[in-house]
Amino acid sequence: MTRKRFFLLLVLMLLLYLGMYTWNQRTAILDTLAVRAGLESAGVILRPLHDLESVLHDIWGRYLNLVDVQQENERLKAELAAVQARMTQAGEERAELLRLRDLLSLRPGTEWNLVGTRVLAGRMGPNSLMQTIIIDRGYLTGGAPGTPLVTPLGLVGRVLRASAHTASVLLLTNPDSRIAVLGQDCRETGILTGRGPHRPLEVRFVARGAQLKPGELLITSGQDGVYPKGIPVARVLRVDPPAYSQFLEVTAEVLVAAEHLEEALLLESAEQLPPASAQAAGKAPGTASRNGYQP
Amino acid sequence: MMLLLEGGWWLGFLIVAIWLQQMLPGLDVLGAGILVPLRERSWLTLLWLLPVVIILQEGLGSCPFGSSVAWYVMVIFLFESLRRLVDMESFFFIFLLSLGVGCCSLSLSWLLAPLHMLHIDLQTTLDRSILQALFLPIAWSVLLWSRRWRYSHDAGE
């Protein structure tokens, strides 16, 4: 092959590549194909592997950690009693909230249904530039794109891409993640942004005069229309006065360490459910409304 | 019989590769399999394996379609260029290939991230590229070792 032909071939390949890229950007056909075929096939392989890992882990845990079981059981019983007491209190508060809401003629808004899911894997392959995890739910089983993922501790992220039974979730530590939050005590709003793995989060656009304090919990404000209001997201680490801008420089830490996550809950909006399921979801225990969230 | 063995080997490879990718975030294990048909000059295997690997990687990834295509074209181009310059059986070949793959991984992420409008962490990308470069000689050795049956069969014929 002469040098001229080689360069011609190179230019032709580059043009073909850019043509494919642009066409896909416009139609998303290749993206859909890759997600529906690739992610789904990988999920088919990952699910039994994950089950096998769990079985082996269980055997290991049962036989080698048997000594600690009794003590752990006692501790868990004590914790369970404390949680039950808190649940009873929370139930009372919820009943009071419903009464007050009725009194004020507030509509509860769209309900959310909690769907359990297992984490199959973390970030996988050379093409996963974002901080993501892979879960065993897809758009047919409660994990449609945009669905928030939570744990009892707080928010993990939201579904980015989904095949029928598998989905990848964008973590809130990713630099492209943006979440509208407010301080639980001071009620000041801001935008929570990730800065990469093992790095504190950044809270932008918090007004200079805000009374935000280190240690304060940040919860979703619900203003972005993606997350229901009231999900714990992060805890404030530092609040520094601004050097040049009119906003405070705030850093925060995540509440849920995604690298150790095994199970989580998807907050499926009733708009994604068939009418009968949506009605049932609204009445099911452990549901959340757009106006508030209770894990 | 050979066809069955071949099919079983590739199925096993795909399962192990996906499992390893789950264990080592960001690492491309499936890509090491692309080097096998290139070494064996088995174009038919490359013809079905390449789309399967691209679809899997694109599905598992978080970027718009296209990164894996560019990545594997670069790897194949690098392999074919080096094959013309260095003996494939020598250590120098796999050393240069690993070095090249590591550099390609870093440069591709750096080039494509603005195109996808994504933020990339340079340190994480650099770590991933080094891991990829270190992983390749190990994968190459293991893959060739696991396909001894194939080479002895070919030699027998």
Side-chain angles (χ1 to χ4, degrees):
Chain A
M1 191 185 286
T2 61
R3 187 174 289 181
K4 193 179 169 186
R5 275 193 184 174
F6 174 76
F7 280 111
L8 268 174
L9 188 72
L10 209 65
V11 170
L12 189 72
M13 279 175 70
L14 190 67
L15 283 175
L16 267 172
Y17 179 76
L18 288 175
M20 179 202 73
Y21 189 86
T22 316
W23 173 70
N24 179 57
Q25 284 286 307
R26 205 158 43 86
T27 61
I29 288 174
L30 293 173
D31 276 334
T32 313
L33 174 77
V35 170
R36 294 204 175 162
L39 190 59
E40 189 68 10
S41 312
V44 168
I45 295 171
L46 282 171
R47 234 168 266 129
L49 284 174
H50 185 268
D51 290 344
L52 186 69
E53 272 178 27
S54 301
V55 168
L56 291 175
H57 188 263
D58 281 356
I59 292 170
W60 178 266
R62 276 183 202 156
Y63 287 95
L64 294 182
N65 298 329
L66 210 60
V67 184
D68 298 329
V69 167
Q70 183 65 33
Q71 289 169 342
E72 194 178 2
N73 194 30
E74 293 298 324
R75 187 176 55 80
L76 287 173
K77 274 182 181 172
E79 275 181 24
L80 184 67
V83 168
Q84 275 174 337
R86 277 213 302 265
M87 271 181 67
T88 311
Q89 191 187 349
E92 285 299 315
E93 283 172 0
R94 184 172 167 78
E96 187 186 353
L97 175 73
L98 289 172
R99 284 198 306 276
L100 290 171
R101 191 178 283 160
D102 281 343
L103 199 67
L104 293 167
S105 305
L106 282 175
R107 293 181 192 280
T110 313
E111 296 295 320
W112 300 74
N113 184 29
L114 294 176
V115 183
T117 183
R118 283 183 308 167
V119 178
L120 293 177
R123 203 163 56 87
M124 278 182 75
N127 200 22
S128 54
L129 294 181
M130 296 194 212
Q131 301 300 312
T132 51
I133 53 172
I134 294 171
I135 55 168
D136 71 344
R137 293 273 182 184
Y139 60 82
L140 286 182
T141 50
T147 309
L149 187 75
V150 298
T151 72
L153 290 175
L155 186 71
V156 179
R158 68 181 166 86
V159 175
L160 181 71
R161 307 168 91 185
S163 67
H165 301 96
T166 314
S168 57
V169 175
L170 180 72
L171 301 177
L172 50 92
T173 49
N174 191 76
D176 296 285
S177 164
R178 304 277 186 281
I179 302 166
V181 292
L182 55 87
Q184 196 175 42
D185 301 327
C186 71
R187 313 308 282 180
E188 290 287 346
T189 57
I191 302 291
L192 189 76
T193 309
R195 292 203 295 197
H198 314 299
R199 288 188 186 165
L201 308 164
E202 184 183 1
V203 191
R204 296 179 185 172
F205 311 117
V206 179
R208 182 189 278 262
Q211 295 301 307
L212 201 63
K213 297 271 187 298
E216 185 168 346
L217 202 65
L218 296 170
I219 58 173
T220 50
S221 71
Q223 287 175 349
D224 48 19
V226 178
Y227 303 99
K229 186 177 178 180
I231 308 177
V233 187
R235 193 176 295 282
V236 176
L237 279 177
R238 283 186 65 172
V239 182
D240 293 322
Y244 302 106
S245 78
Q246 52 182 321
F247 302 110
L248 291 176
E249 288 172 6
V250 183
T251 53
E253 61 178 348
V254 289
L255 299 174
V256 185
E259 57 265 36
H260 304 303
L261 199 62
E262 290 177 49
E263 291 94 18
L265 295 164
L266 285 158
L267 278 181
E268 190 185 25
S269 167
E271 287 162 10
Q272 296 162 3
L273 297 171
S277 315
Q279 214 170 14
K283 289 171 185 170
T287 53
S289 78
R290 276 205 194 273
N291 296 329
Y293 164 83
Q294 277 187 307
Chain B
M1 186 62 185
M2 271 299 283
L3 198 70
L4 203 70
L5 272 172
E6 189 74 2
W9 191 91
W10 280 112
L11 185 69
F13 165 74
L14 289 175
I15 292 171
V16 171
I18 288 175
W19 177 70
L20 275 176
Q21 285 201 180
Q22 176 211 350
M23 304 294 280
L24 300 160
L27 188 73
D28 180 13
V29 186
L30 288 163
I34 298 287
L35 304 179
V36 173
L38 282 175
R39 182 189 183 275
E40 295 171 0
R41 319 309 286 165
S42 172
W43 305 118
L44 199 68
T45 309
L46 189 68
L47 197 70
W48 70 261
L49 184 67
L50 196 57
V52 167
V53 169
I54 287 174
I55 290 285
L56 276 170
Q57 296 289 33
E58 291 287 353
L60 285 168
S62 51
C63 301
F65 193 94
S67 307
S68 297
V69 179
W71 165 238
Y72 289 122
V73 166
M74 279 172 107
V75 170
I76 291 170
F77 179 77
L78 195 67
F79 186 97
E80 288 300 309
S81 307
L82 280 173
R83 196 180 64 85
R84 284 177 169 78
L85 299 170
V86 189
D87 177 21
M88 264 203 302
E89 305 302 324
S90 68
F91 171 76
F92 202 51
F93 174 80
I94 194 64
F95 173 75
L96 286 178
L97 187 66
S98 306
L99 204 67
V101 161
C103 292
C104 283
S105 170
L106 184 69
S107 53
L108 197 70
S109 301
W110 183 69
L111 280 170
L112 287 178
L115 192 67
H116 298 323
M117 287 181 284
L118 293 175
H119 294 86
I120 59 159
D121 181 37
L122 201 62
Q123 188 59 51
T124 312
T125 314
L126 186 67
D127 291 348
R128 198 189 66 186
S129 304
I130 293 170
L131 185 68
Q132 187 69 55
L134 290 174
F135 170 76
L136 200 63
I138 301 165
W140 176 259
S141 311
V142 172
L143 287 174
L144 294 192
W145 176 80
S146 67
R147 284 181 74 77
R148 282 173 307 164
W149 55 274
R150 162 87 193 227
Y151 305 138
S152 58
H153 180 267
D154 287 353
E157 279 183 356

